[in-house]
Amino acid sequence: MKDVMRVLRDARPEEMDPGAPVDEGVRRDELARAMAAPRPEAAGSTAPARRRVRPVWGLGLAGAVAAGAVAAAAVFVAPGGDGTDPGGTGGGGGERVLDARTVLLAAAEKADGQTETTGAYWHQVTVSSSTYTVGKGSGAYAVTVRSKAESWTPSRPGGKAWGAAQDLGAKPATMADAEAWRRAGSPATFKIQIPVAPGGKGRLKGFTAKTAPGARSFNGSALVDGDKVFWLGRNVSMKDLRALPSDPKRLQAELLRWYKGHDTESNRPMASDLWLYTVARGLVMDMPVKPAVRAAAFRMLAGLPAVRSLGKVTDPQGRTGNAIALDEKTRQGVIRQEMIIDLASGAALASMNVMVAPAAGANVPAGRTMNSTALIGAEWTDTKPR
C-alpha cells in the first residue's frame, strides 16, 4: 500500500464512484461501510489524498473479543451498560442532566488517572451500523445494516496492519418497519439505493444487503509510507500520536495547524469548531494516544461553545452513558453528531449521526440514526493478529 488513495480505491464498491453526485454526509457513511471489508492490495494511483489513513480494517471503523485473545495491558475497554432503550435520550426520572462541560471534564478526570503499558499492536473491535430506506411509497420501510470490524495497528514503523471484518446482517430498523417487512414477504435480501442530496443530479448505484451474517474476512497490508496509521487533520504515524501535547490549549493549536477551512473528507467548507469536534471525536474513540492526551482532548472539547449535552442515553449496544453533541448543517439537513461517554471509565462508548431536520426533498426522516459506531474494546496487545 503506497498511498492513501489505494486503500480507498481497493475498498470502494461501485456505488462509491467519486464522480457521482452525493451529499458529503452520505459519502462518509458509505466510506465507512466500504472500508469495513478489507481488500487485497492492487497496483494503482499515487495521487495525494486528504482521506483518513486506516490500516485495512475500515472507518467504521465494526462483538466482544474472545476470552484470552488479547494478552497485554488494556488502556480501556468499553464497559457494558444496563440500558433498555438503545439510542434513547435520557434525563428521565427527575435525574439532573449534566451540562456538556461537566460531562467532558469528568471524563478528562478519569482519563488523567489512567496508566498504560504499550504492546506490539493497538487492537480495536467496533460494531458499525447504517440505516436506509428500501421500497417505495406505502410499502417503504427502513433497514439497518450492521458490521463488525477488528483491527491491529503495529506500534513500530515498517510493520503490517491487520484487519478482520464481518457483515452481521441487515434487519428492519423498528417494530413498525418489521411489520412492513413482513407485509413485503419477509425478504432475505434488500436492494439499497444510496440517496442523492436534495438538488443533486444522478444517483449512486445500489448495493445488496442480506439478513444473514456474512463470512469473516481477514488480511493485512503495509502501512502508508511505512509508518502512517491514522488521520488527524493529516496522515500521522504512531510516533506523532504518542508525541501529542497533554495541555488542551497546546493540543488545540497543534490540531488547528492542519485545518484548511474545509471538512476532513472533502473541500466542503467547515467551521473550525466543527472540524475540531470531528477530529477530536476520532482521537478519543479510535487512537492510541496517551491517557493524558485523551484527557486533554476532552478538556479541549469542553471549551467548544457549540457542544451541548443530551443527558443520559443508551448506545447501540444497550450501554448507558452521557451524550454530548454538535449539530452540522449539510445539504441533507441538520445532522446531530453525538458521542456517548462512560463517565465511570472516561471512555467513549459510541458515536452516532442523527438526522434532526431534513432538508426539503431529503428522504431521511427526522430522528433517524443514520449511522453509528460502537466501540467494543480497545487495548494494547502482544498477541498476533488472527
Short mmCIF file of all heavy atoms in Angstrom, two decimals, residues 14-74:
data_model
loop_
_atom_site.label_atom_id
_atom_site.label_comp_id
_atom_site.label_asym_id
_atom_site.label_seq_id
_atom_site.Cartn_x
_atom_site.Cartn_y
_atom_site.Cartn_z
N GLU A 14 -18.82 -0.18 -6.29
CA GLU A 14 -19.20 0.63 -7.43
C GLU A 14 -20.03 1.84 -7.03
O GLU A 14 -19.93 2.90 -7.64
CB GLU A 14 -20.00 -0.21 -8.43
CG GLU A 14 -19.14 -1.27 -9.14
CD GLU A 14 -19.96 -2.05 -10.13
OE1 GLU A 14 -21.20 -1.85 -10.15
OE2 GLU A 14 -19.40 -2.84 -10.88
N GLU A 15 -20.85 1.69 -6.00
CA GLU A 15 -21.73 2.79 -5.64
C GLU A 15 -20.99 3.99 -5.08
O GLU A 15 -21.57 5.03 -4.86
CB GLU A 15 -22.81 2.34 -4.64
CG GLU A 15 -22.27 1.86 -3.31
CD GLU A 15 -22.09 0.36 -3.30
OE1 GLU A 15 -21.96 -0.25 -4.37
OE2 GLU A 15 -22.08 -0.21 -2.20
N MET A 16 -19.68 3.84 -4.82
CA MET A 16 -18.91 4.96 -4.31
C MET A 16 -18.10 5.63 -5.41
O MET A 16 -17.06 6.23 -5.16
CB MET A 16 -17.99 4.52 -3.18
CG MET A 16 -18.73 4.29 -1.90
SD MET A 16 -17.60 4.12 -0.53
CE MET A 16 -16.87 5.76 -0.54
N ASP A 17 -18.56 5.54 -6.65
CA ASP A 17 -17.92 6.24 -7.75
C ASP A 17 -17.72 7.70 -7.37
O ASP A 17 -18.69 8.41 -7.12
CB ASP A 17 -18.81 6.14 -8.99
CG ASP A 17 -18.28 6.95 -10.16
OD1 ASP A 17 -17.17 7.49 -10.06
OD2 ASP A 17 -19.00 7.01 -11.17
N PRO A 18 -16.48 8.20 -7.28
CA PRO A 18 -16.26 9.55 -6.82
C PRO A 18 -16.82 10.60 -7.75
O PRO A 18 -16.97 11.75 -7.36
CB PRO A 18 -14.73 9.65 -6.73
CG PRO A 18 -14.23 8.62 -7.68
CD PRO A 18 -15.22 7.50 -7.63
N GLY A 19 -17.15 10.24 -8.99
CA GLY A 19 -17.71 11.22 -9.90
C GLY A 19 -19.20 11.40 -9.74
O GLY A 19 -19.78 12.33 -10.29
N ALA A 20 -19.84 10.52 -8.98
CA ALA A 20 -21.29 10.62 -8.81
C ALA A 20 -21.63 11.67 -7.77
O ALA A 20 -20.96 11.79 -6.76
CB ALA A 20 -21.86 9.27 -8.38
N PRO A 21 -22.69 12.46 -7.97
CA PRO A 21 -23.06 13.50 -7.02
C PRO A 21 -23.68 12.89 -5.78
O PRO A 21 -24.59 12.09 -5.86
CB PRO A 21 -24.08 14.34 -7.80
CG PRO A 21 -24.68 13.39 -8.78
CD PRO A 21 -23.58 12.43 -9.15
N VAL A 22 -23.20 13.28 -4.64
CA VAL A 22 -23.73 12.73 -3.39
C VAL A 22 -23.37 13.65 -2.25
O VAL A 22 -22.32 14.28 -2.24
CB VAL A 22 -23.16 11.32 -3.12
CG1 VAL A 22 -21.66 11.34 -2.97
CG2 VAL A 22 -23.79 10.71 -1.86
N ASP A 23 -24.28 13.76 -1.30
CA ASP A 23 -24.02 14.57 -0.12
C ASP A 23 -22.81 14.04 0.63
O ASP A 23 -22.60 12.83 0.72
CB ASP A 23 -25.25 14.52 0.80
CG ASP A 23 -25.02 15.29 2.07
OD1 ASP A 23 -25.13 16.51 2.04
OD2 ASP A 23 -24.73 14.63 3.09
N GLU A 24 -22.01 14.94 1.21
CA GLU A 24 -20.79 14.50 1.87
C GLU A 24 -21.06 13.64 3.10
O GLU A 24 -20.28 12.76 3.45
CB GLU A 24 -19.95 15.72 2.26
CG GLU A 24 -19.35 16.45 1.07
CD GLU A 24 -18.48 15.56 0.23
OE1 GLU A 24 -17.87 14.62 0.76
OE2 GLU A 24 -18.41 15.79 -0.99
N GLY A 25 -22.18 13.89 3.78
CA GLY A 25 -22.52 13.03 4.91
C GLY A 25 -22.78 11.61 4.46
O GLY A 25 -22.34 10.65 5.10
N VAL A 26 -23.46 11.46 3.32
CA VAL A 26 -23.70 10.12 2.76
C VAL A 26 -22.38 9.50 2.34
O VAL A 26 -22.14 8.31 2.55
CB VAL A 26 -24.67 10.21 1.56
CG1 VAL A 26 -24.83 8.85 0.90
CG2 VAL A 26 -26.02 10.73 2.03
N ARG A 27 -21.50 10.29 1.73
CA ARG A 27 -20.21 9.75 1.30
C ARG A 27 -19.42 9.21 2.49
O ARG A 27 -18.81 8.15 2.42
CB ARG A 27 -19.39 10.81 0.56
CG ARG A 27 -18.14 10.24 -0.08
CD ARG A 27 -17.41 11.29 -0.88
NE ARG A 27 -18.16 11.74 -2.03
CZ ARG A 27 -18.25 11.05 -3.17
NH1 ARG A 27 -17.67 9.87 -3.29
NH2 ARG A 27 -18.94 11.52 -4.18
N ARG A 28 -19.42 9.93 3.61
CA ARG A 28 -18.69 9.46 4.78
C ARG A 28 -19.30 8.16 5.29
O ARG A 28 -18.60 7.22 5.67
CB ARG A 28 -18.70 10.52 5.88
CG ARG A 28 -17.81 11.70 5.58
CD ARG A 28 -17.55 12.51 6.84
NE ARG A 28 -18.78 13.08 7.38
CZ ARG A 28 -19.26 14.27 7.02
NH1 ARG A 28 -18.63 14.99 6.11
NH2 ARG A 28 -20.35 14.75 7.56
N ASP A 29 -20.64 8.11 5.29
CA ASP A 29 -21.34 6.90 5.72
C ASP A 29 -20.95 5.72 4.86
O ASP A 29 -20.62 4.64 5.36
CB ASP A 29 -22.84 7.18 5.63
CG ASP A 29 -23.69 5.97 5.96
OD1 ASP A 29 -23.17 5.05 6.61
OD2 ASP A 29 -24.87 5.97 5.59
N GLU A 30 -20.95 5.91 3.52
CA GLU A 30 -20.65 4.81 2.63
C GLU A 30 -19.17 4.44 2.63
O GLU A 30 -18.81 3.29 2.41
CB GLU A 30 -21.11 5.15 1.21
CG GLU A 30 -22.62 5.12 1.08
CD GLU A 30 -23.17 3.85 1.71
OE1 GLU A 30 -22.93 2.75 1.19
OE2 GLU A 30 -23.86 3.96 2.73
N LEU A 31 -18.30 5.41 2.90
CA LEU A 31 -16.89 5.10 3.04
C LEU A 31 -16.68 4.17 4.22
O LEU A 31 -15.91 3.22 4.16
CB LEU A 31 -16.08 6.39 3.22
CG LEU A 31 -14.58 6.24 3.33
CD1 LEU A 31 -14.02 5.63 2.05
CD2 LEU A 31 -13.94 7.59 3.59
N ALA A 32 -17.39 4.43 5.31
CA ALA A 32 -17.29 3.55 6.47
C ALA A 32 -17.74 2.14 6.12
O ALA A 32 -17.10 1.16 6.48
CB ALA A 32 -18.14 4.11 7.61
N ARG A 33 -18.86 2.03 5.40
CA ARG A 33 -19.37 0.71 5.05
C ARG A 33 -18.41 -0.03 4.12
O ARG A 33 -18.14 -1.21 4.29
CB ARG A 33 -20.75 0.84 4.37
CG ARG A 33 -21.37 -0.50 4.03
CD ARG A 33 -22.70 -0.28 3.34
NE ARG A 33 -22.55 0.36 2.05
CZ ARG A 33 -22.17 -0.28 0.95
NH1 ARG A 33 -21.90 -1.56 0.99
NH2 ARG A 33 -22.05 0.37 -0.19
N ALA A 34 -17.86 0.70 3.15
CA ALA A 34 -16.99 0.05 2.19
C ALA A 34 -15.71 -0.44 2.84
O ALA A 34 -15.25 -1.55 2.59
CB ALA A 34 -16.65 1.03 1.07
N MET A 35 -15.12 0.39 3.69
CA MET A 35 -13.82 0.03 4.24
C MET A 35 -13.91 -0.95 5.39
O MET A 35 -12.90 -1.42 5.90
CB MET A 35 -13.06 1.29 4.65
CG MET A 35 -12.62 2.09 3.44
SD MET A 35 -11.46 3.39 3.86
CE MET A 35 -10.03 2.41 4.32
N ALA A 36 -15.13 -1.27 5.82
CA ALA A 36 -15.28 -2.31 6.82
C ALA A 36 -14.94 -3.68 6.26
O ALA A 36 -14.76 -4.64 7.00
CB ALA A 36 -16.70 -2.34 7.37
N ALA A 37 -14.83 -3.78 4.95
CA ALA A 37 -14.47 -5.05 4.31
C ALA A 37 -13.08 -4.93 3.71
O ALA A 37 -12.90 -4.33 2.66
CB ALA A 37 -15.48 -5.38 3.22
N PRO A 38 -12.04 -5.47 4.37
CA PRO A 38 -10.69 -5.33 3.85
C PRO A 38 -10.56 -5.99 2.48
O PRO A 38 -11.17 -7.01 2.20
CB PRO A 38 -9.83 -6.07 4.89
CG PRO A 38 -10.66 -6.09 6.13
CD PRO A 38 -12.09 -6.17 5.65
N ARG A 39 -9.73 -5.39 1.64
CA ARG A 39 -9.49 -5.92 0.31
C ARG A 39 -8.00 -6.11 0.09
O ARG A 39 -7.19 -5.39 0.66
CB ARG A 39 -10.02 -4.94 -0.76
CG ARG A 39 -11.47 -4.54 -0.54
CD ARG A 39 -12.42 -5.70 -0.75
NE ARG A 39 -13.78 -5.35 -0.40
CZ ARG A 39 -14.65 -4.88 -1.27
NH1 ARG A 39 -14.30 -4.68 -2.51
NH2 ARG A 39 -15.87 -4.60 -0.89
N PRO A 40 -7.60 -7.03 -0.76
CA PRO A 40 -6.20 -7.20 -1.07
C PRO A 40 -5.64 -5.97 -1.75
O PRO A 40 -6.36 -5.21 -2.38
CB PRO A 40 -6.18 -8.40 -2.01
CG PRO A 40 -7.48 -9.08 -1.80
CD PRO A 40 -8.46 -8.01 -1.42
N GLU A 41 -4.33 -5.81 -1.68
CA GLU A 41 -3.69 -4.69 -2.35
C GLU A 41 -3.73 -4.90 -3.86
O GLU A 41 -3.78 -6.00 -4.37
CB GLU A 41 -2.23 -4.60 -1.92
CG GLU A 41 -2.06 -4.12 -0.50
CD GLU A 41 -0.60 -3.92 -0.20
OE1 GLU A 41 -0.06 -2.85 -0.53
OE2 GLU A 41 0.01 -4.84 0.33
N ALA A 42 -3.68 -3.78 -4.57
CA ALA A 42 -3.60 -3.82 -6.02
C ALA A 42 -2.79 -2.63 -6.48
O ALA A 42 -2.71 -1.63 -5.79
CB ALA A 42 -5.00 -3.77 -6.65
N ALA A 43 -2.15 -2.76 -7.64
CA ALA A 43 -1.39 -1.63 -8.15
C ALA A 43 -2.34 -0.50 -8.47
O ALA A 43 -3.46 -0.71 -8.87
CB ALA A 43 -0.65 -2.06 -9.42
N GLY A 44 -1.88 0.74 -8.27
CA GLY A 44 -2.80 1.83 -8.57
C GLY A 44 -2.20 3.19 -8.43
O GLY A 44 -1.01 3.39 -8.43
N SER A 45 -3.11 4.13 -8.26
CA SER A 45 -2.77 5.55 -8.29
C SER A 45 -1.84 5.94 -7.17
O SER A 45 -1.84 5.38 -6.10
CB SER A 45 -4.08 6.35 -8.17
OG SER A 45 -3.82 7.69 -7.88
N THR A 46 -1.06 6.97 -7.44
CA THR A 46 -0.22 7.56 -6.40
C THR A 46 -0.67 8.98 -6.12
O THR A 46 0.08 9.79 -5.60
CB THR A 46 1.25 7.57 -6.83
OG1 THR A 46 1.37 8.28 -8.08
CG2 THR A 46 1.78 6.16 -7.00
N ALA A 47 -1.91 9.30 -6.47
CA ALA A 47 -2.41 10.65 -6.26
C ALA A 47 -2.48 10.96 -4.78
O ALA A 47 -2.84 10.11 -3.97
CB ALA A 47 -3.82 10.78 -6.87
N PRO A 48 -2.15 12.19 -4.37
CA PRO A 48 -2.21 12.55 -2.96
C PRO A 48 -3.65 12.59 -2.49
O PRO A 48 -4.58 12.74 -3.27
CB PRO A 48 -1.59 13.95 -2.93
CG PRO A 48 -1.84 14.49 -4.30
CD PRO A 48 -1.74 13.31 -5.21
N ALA A 49 -3.85 12.45 -1.18
CA ALA A 49 -5.21 12.46 -0.65
C ALA A 49 -5.21 13.03 0.74
O ALA A 49 -4.23 13.01 1.44
CB ALA A 49 -5.78 11.05 -0.61
N ARG A 50 -6.39 13.56 1.09
CA ARG A 50 -6.57 14.09 2.42
C ARG A 50 -7.29 13.07 3.29
O ARG A 50 -7.49 13.26 4.47
CB ARG A 50 -7.44 15.34 2.30
CG ARG A 50 -7.06 16.44 3.21
CD ARG A 50 -7.85 17.72 2.94
NE ARG A 50 -9.20 17.50 2.51
CZ ARG A 50 -9.62 17.74 1.28
NH1 ARG A 50 -8.79 18.17 0.36
NH2 ARG A 50 -10.87 17.52 0.94
N ARG A 51 -7.72 11.96 2.68
CA ARG A 51 -8.54 10.98 3.39
C ARG A 51 -7.82 10.42 4.61
O ARG A 51 -6.61 10.29 4.63
CB ARG A 51 -8.88 9.83 2.45
CG ARG A 51 -9.72 10.25 1.26
CD ARG A 51 -11.15 10.42 1.62
NE ARG A 51 -11.96 10.62 0.43
CZ ARG A 51 -13.26 10.83 0.45
NH1 ARG A 51 -13.89 10.91 1.58
NH2 ARG A 51 -13.93 10.99 -0.66
N ARG A 52 -8.63 10.06 5.56
CA ARG A 52 -8.11 9.48 6.79
C ARG A 52 -7.42 8.16 6.52
O ARG A 52 -7.95 7.27 5.90
CB ARG A 52 -9.31 9.27 7.72
CG ARG A 52 -9.03 8.56 9.01
CD ARG A 52 -10.30 8.34 9.79
NE ARG A 52 -11.17 9.50 9.72
CZ ARG A 52 -12.04 9.80 10.67
NH1 ARG A 52 -12.14 9.07 11.73
NH2 ARG A 52 -12.83 10.84 10.56
N VAL A 53 -6.21 8.03 7.00
CA VAL A 53 -5.49 6.77 6.85
C VAL A 53 -6.06 5.76 7.83
O VAL A 53 -6.19 6.04 9.01
CB VAL A 53 -3.99 6.95 7.14
CG1 VAL A 53 -3.30 5.60 7.21
CG2 VAL A 53 -3.35 7.80 6.06
N ARG A 54 -6.41 4.62 7.33
CA ARG A 54 -6.74 3.49 8.18
C ARG A 54 -5.93 2.32 7.67
O ARG A 54 -5.83 2.13 6.47
CB ARG A 54 -8.22 3.13 8.09
CG ARG A 54 -9.11 4.20 8.67
CD ARG A 54 -9.13 4.15 10.14
NE ARG A 54 -10.11 5.04 10.70
CZ ARG A 54 -10.31 5.16 12.01
NH1 ARG A 54 -9.61 4.47 12.85
NH2 ARG A 54 -11.22 5.98 12.46
N PRO A 55 -5.37 1.53 8.54
CA PRO A 55 -4.93 0.23 8.06
C PRO A 55 -6.16 -0.47 7.49
O PRO A 55 -7.23 0.09 7.51
CB PRO A 55 -4.39 -0.43 9.32
CG PRO A 55 -4.03 0.71 10.20
CD PRO A 55 -5.07 1.77 9.90
N VAL A 56 -6.07 -1.67 7.03
CA VAL A 56 -7.08 -2.23 6.16
C VAL A 56 -8.46 -2.43 6.76
O VAL A 56 -9.36 -2.77 6.05
CB VAL A 56 -6.60 -3.58 5.61
CG1 VAL A 56 -5.46 -3.37 4.66
CG2 VAL A 56 -6.21 -4.52 6.73
N TRP A 57 -8.66 -2.19 8.05
CA TRP A 57 -9.94 -2.62 8.61
C TRP A 57 -11.10 -1.71 8.28
O TRP A 57 -12.19 -2.17 8.09
CB TRP A 57 -9.85 -2.79 10.13
CG TRP A 57 -9.61 -1.53 10.87
CD1 TRP A 57 -10.52 -0.69 11.44
CD2 TRP A 57 -8.33 -0.98 11.17
NE1 TRP A 57 -9.89 0.34 12.07
CE2 TRP A 57 -8.56 0.19 11.92
CE3 TRP A 57 -7.02 -1.35 10.88
CZ2 TRP A 57 -7.51 0.97 12.39
CZ3 TRP A 57 -6.00 -0.56 11.35
CH2 TRP A 57 -6.24 0.58 12.09
N GLY A 58 -10.95 -0.41 8.25
CA GLY A 58 -12.08 0.42 7.84
C GLY A 58 -12.38 1.56 8.78
O GLY A 58 -11.91 1.63 9.90
N LEU A 59 -13.21 2.48 8.33
CA LEU A 59 -13.56 3.65 9.10
C LEU A 59 -14.59 3.36 10.17
O LEU A 59 -14.76 4.13 11.09
CB LEU A 59 -14.12 4.73 8.16
CG LEU A 59 -13.10 5.39 7.24
CD1 LEU A 59 -13.81 6.40 6.37
CD2 LEU A 59 -12.02 6.05 8.03
N GLY A 60 -15.32 2.33 10.03
CA GLY A 60 -16.40 2.02 10.96
C GLY A 60 -15.93 1.68 12.26
O GLY A 60 -15.78 0.74 12.76
N LEU A 61 -15.34 1.89 11.63
CA LEU A 61 -14.34 1.69 11.92
C LEU A 61 -15.19 1.35 12.51
O LEU A 61 -15.28 1.85 13.16
CB LEU A 61 -13.94 2.47 11.71
CG LEU A 61 -13.64 2.94 10.80
CD1 LEU A 61 -13.17 3.56 10.68
CD2 LEU A 61 -13.61 2.84 10.06
N ALA A 62 -15.98 -1.96 13.28
CA ALA A 62 -17.26 -2.54 13.37
C ALA A 62 -17.07 -3.81 14.09
O ALA A 62 -16.54 -4.59 14.34
CB ALA A 62 -17.90 -2.70 12.00
N GLY A 63 -19.51 -6.85 19.55
CA GLY A 63 -18.81 -8.08 19.35
C GLY A 63 -17.84 -8.12 20.47
O GLY A 63 -17.00 -7.31 20.65
N ALA A 64 -17.86 -8.83 21.10
CA ALA A 64 -16.91 -8.92 22.20
C ALA A 64 -15.67 -9.67 21.74
O ALA A 64 -15.75 -10.58 20.95
CB ALA A 64 -17.55 -9.63 23.37
N VAL A 65 -14.52 -9.33 22.32
CA VAL A 65 -13.29 -10.04 21.98
C VAL A 65 -13.30 -11.39 22.69
O VAL A 65 -13.69 -11.49 23.85
CB VAL A 65 -12.08 -9.22 22.44
CG1 VAL A 65 -10.79 -9.91 22.08
CG2 VAL A 65 -12.12 -7.83 21.82
N ALA A 66 -12.88 -12.44 22.00
CA ALA A 66 -12.87 -13.77 22.61
C ALA A 66 -11.97 -13.76 23.84
O ALA A 66 -10.93 -13.13 23.86
CB ALA A 66 -12.36 -14.79 21.60
N ALA A 67 -12.41 -14.48 24.87
CA ALA A 67 -11.66 -14.51 26.12
C ALA A 67 -10.23 -14.98 25.88
O ALA A 67 -9.99 -15.99 25.25
CB ALA A 67 -12.35 -15.44 27.11
N GLY A 68 -9.28 -14.22 26.40
CA GLY A 68 -7.89 -14.60 26.30
C GLY A 68 -7.24 -14.23 24.98
O GLY A 68 -6.06 -14.48 24.78
N ALA A 69 -7.99 -13.62 24.05
CA ALA A 69 -7.42 -13.30 22.75
C ALA A 69 -6.44 -12.14 22.83
O ALA A 69 -5.55 -12.02 22.02
CB ALA A 69 -8.51 -12.97 21.75
N VAL A 70 -6.64 -11.27 23.81
CA VAL A 70 -5.76 -10.12 23.96
C VAL A 70 -4.99 -10.26 25.25
O VAL A 70 -5.57 -10.45 26.31
CB VAL A 70 -6.59 -8.82 23.99
CG1 VAL A 70 -5.69 -7.62 24.19
CG2 VAL A 70 -7.36 -8.68 22.70
N ALA A 71 -3.65 -10.18 25.16
CA ALA A 71 -2.84 -10.58 26.30
C ALA A 71 -2.03 -9.48 26.93
O ALA A 71 -1.19 -9.75 27.77
CB ALA A 71 -1.88 -11.69 25.86
N ALA A 72 -2.25 -8.21 26.54
CA ALA A 72 -1.42 -7.15 27.12
C ALA A 72 -2.25 -6.23 27.98
O ALA A 72 -3.46 -6.40 28.10
CB ALA A 72 -0.75 -6.36 26.01
N ALA A 73 -1.60 -5.23 28.58
CA ALA A 73 -2.29 -4.30 29.47
C ALA A 73 -3.28 -3.46 28.69
O ALA A 73 -2.96 -2.94 27.64
CB ALA A 73 -1.28 -3.39 30.15
N ALA A 74 -4.49 -3.28 29.19
CA ALA A 74 -5.52 -2.53 28.50
C ALA A 74 -5.41 -1.06 28.85
O ALA A 74 -5.19 -0.69 29.99
CB ALA A 74 -6.90 -3.04 28.90
#
